[in-house]
Amino acid sequence: MYHVIKPENENIKVSVPMVKAGPIIRIKPWRITLNPYIGYAWERINTEHAYVENDSLLYGLNANWHWRMLNVNVKYYYQDSLEDNEDTSTFRTSFVGGISKHWAFTVRFDYMEHMTTDDIFVMAGPVYIF
């Protein structure tokens, strides 16, 4: 994850490289795939006034359901901060419904906790599949 935020009189750069590992569990009769994982994140926040390092352990679960032209994906992870006791959670879900061989409609919802804010992101629209 990499963000550059440019408010007036400031430059903010956030980078969070992550590694994750865990088994993939397929429940074929229900068309579900689960991926519980643990991981590590190296969060770096650089502004004109400060530099913050916050390494974290990650505990998460990805779940995916796919049937014909429908797909639902749910992701959750808990970020356990090792340095500043500001633990956060992230929840993401998306739905993709196929309309034809090359077109679909998608809806995505994200909820992310941060040290100073909570963000909600909603996106919906057509998707071209190639």
Side-chain angles (χ1 to χ4, degrees):
M1 179 171 61
Y2 180 77
H3 295 284
V4 174
I5 305 164
K6 294 186 176 188
E8 196 171 311
N9 301 323
E10 183 70 80
N11 276 329
I12 303 169
K13 293 180 184 174
V14 179
S15 63
V16 189
M18 300 177 183
V19 322
K20 304 181 279 187
I24 294 178
I25 302 162
R26 290 184 175 85
I27 306 170
K28 290 184 180 182
W30 296 342
R31 295 175 171 85
I32 294 174
T33 303
L34 301 173
N35 175 221
Y37 63 85
I38 59 171
Y40 195 83
W42 296 267
E43 183 175 34
R44 303 296 181 259
I45 302 170
N46 191 7
T47 72
E48 293 178 14
H49 306 293
Y51 179 77
V52 177
E53 293 184 4
N54 183 22
D55 295 349
S56 302
L57 298 174
L58 304 173
Y59 311 100
L61 174 67
N62 293 340
N64 194 60
W65 175 77
H66 185 88
W67 179 69
R68 299 186 186 229
M69 295 173 67
L70 300 175
N71 180 255
V72 176
N73 183 268
V74 177
K75 298 178 181 183
Y76 172 82
Y77 69 85
Y78 181 78
Q79 191 169 341
D80 184 6
S81 173
L82 298 175
E83 279 127 29
D84 64 10
N85 293 327
E86 290 288 336
D87 301 344
T88 59
S89 294
T90 298
F91 173 79
R92 295 183 170 116
T93 187
S94 64
F95 166 80
V96 178
I99 298 167
S100 70
K101 182 178 178 181
H102 292 289
W103 287 98
F105 184 80
T106 188
V107 177
R108 178 177 163 180
F109 172 83
D110 291 7
Y111 172 77
M112 297 166 278
E113 293 178 343
H114 302 287
M115 284 189 242
T116 57
T117 64
D118 293 348
D119 295 342
I120 294 176
F121 170 84
V122 178
M123 177 183 71
V127 177
Y128 180 73
I129 304 165
F130 52 92

